[in-house]
């Protein structure tokens, strides 16, 4: 780490790159949340088609299908809610002439969005695993 001396072009380029990454971080978090929302919406259709709630096929009597199907529906719904909380705008109040408070509010916003997106991703993966379990249980029982 260089402490003294003028900033070199490489140092400036690195600093500017990190600044641009920080500026775009909130947008990337929201884009990730929107992607999860789209995936959950699509996989809900797949899960409901497999479960075929209207005709009650025989494979719905399989406990693995019932429990994994229920867990998958709940997990996808929880993932959808968490992702929507990332994407929804939220009012932030701060003093416009206090850079320290502005920086703290930005970090708090970024931390909240990152935590919610991480939760959405983990629950989404669990829901996907449940969907795979349902499909495999149906295929093995045929």
């Amino acid at each position: 780490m260089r402490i003294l001396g003028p900033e070199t072009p490489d140092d400036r380029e690195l600093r500017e790159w990190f600044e641009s990454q920080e500026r775009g971080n909130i947008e990337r978090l929201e884009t990730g949340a929107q992607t999860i929302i789209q995936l959950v919406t699509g996989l809900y259709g797949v899960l409901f088609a497999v479960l075929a709630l209207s005709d009650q096929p025989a494979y719905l009597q399989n406990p693995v299908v019932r429990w994994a199907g229920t867990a998958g529906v709940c997990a996808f719904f929880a993932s959808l809610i968490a992702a929507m909380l990332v994407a929804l705008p939220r009012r932030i109040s701060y003093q416009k002439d206090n850079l320290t408070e502005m920086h703290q509010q930005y970090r708090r916003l970024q931390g909240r969005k990152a935590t919610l997106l991480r939760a959405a991703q983990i629950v989404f993966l669990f829901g996907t695993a449940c969907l795979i379990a349902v499909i495999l249980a149906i295929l093995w029982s045929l």
Side-chain angles (χ1 to χ4, degrees):
M1 178 174 153
R2 292 177 6 98
I3 297 175
L4 299 173
E7 185 177 60
T8 66
D10 288 340
D11 292 343
R12 184 179 322 108
E13 182 179 333
L14 183 61
R15 180 181 48 77
E16 289 172 354
W17 182 82
F18 273 103
E19 287 173 355
S20 71
Q21 293 302 306
E22 185 172 321
R23 278 191 297 274
N25 197 21
I26 297 293
E27 289 84 14
R28 284 190 298 278
L29 289 170
E30 291 175 353
T31 301
Q34 291 169 354
T35 301
I36 287 179
I37 291 168
Q38 292 168 349
L39 289 170
V40 165
T41 304
L43 287 179
Y44 256 146
V46 171
L47 187 57
F48 284 133
V50 168
L51 294 177
L53 297 176
S54 62
D55 352 353
Q56 296 293 319
Y59 60 75
L60 280 180
Q61 301 307 314
N62 183 339
V64 173
V65 172
R66 292 172 73 180
W67 284 103
T70 302
V73 168
C74 293
F76 283 146
F77 188 68
S79 178
L80 184 64
I81 289 172
M84 288 178 65
L85 289 173
V86 173
L88 289 175
R90 185 174 171 182
R91 184 182 173 106
I92 301 173
S93 58
Y94 57 90
Q95 293 178 347
K96 296 191 187 293
D97 59 347
N98 187 339
L99 289 176
T100 302
E101 185 178 352
M102 290 169 67
H103 185 70
Q104 289 172 348
Q105 289 292 340
Y106 173 77
R107 290 289 176 213
R108 191 173 298 131
L109 175 68
Q110 182 182 22
R112 182 182 66 83
K113 286 181 181 278
T115 301
L116 284 168
L117 182 59
R118 191 173 304 117
Q121 291 170 332
I122 290 168
V123 178
F124 175 79
L125 289 175
F126 176 73
T128 303
C130 289
L131 175 60
I132 291 169
V134 166
I135 292 170
L136 291 177
I138 290 170
L139 289 175
W140 287 342
S141 68
L142 293 179

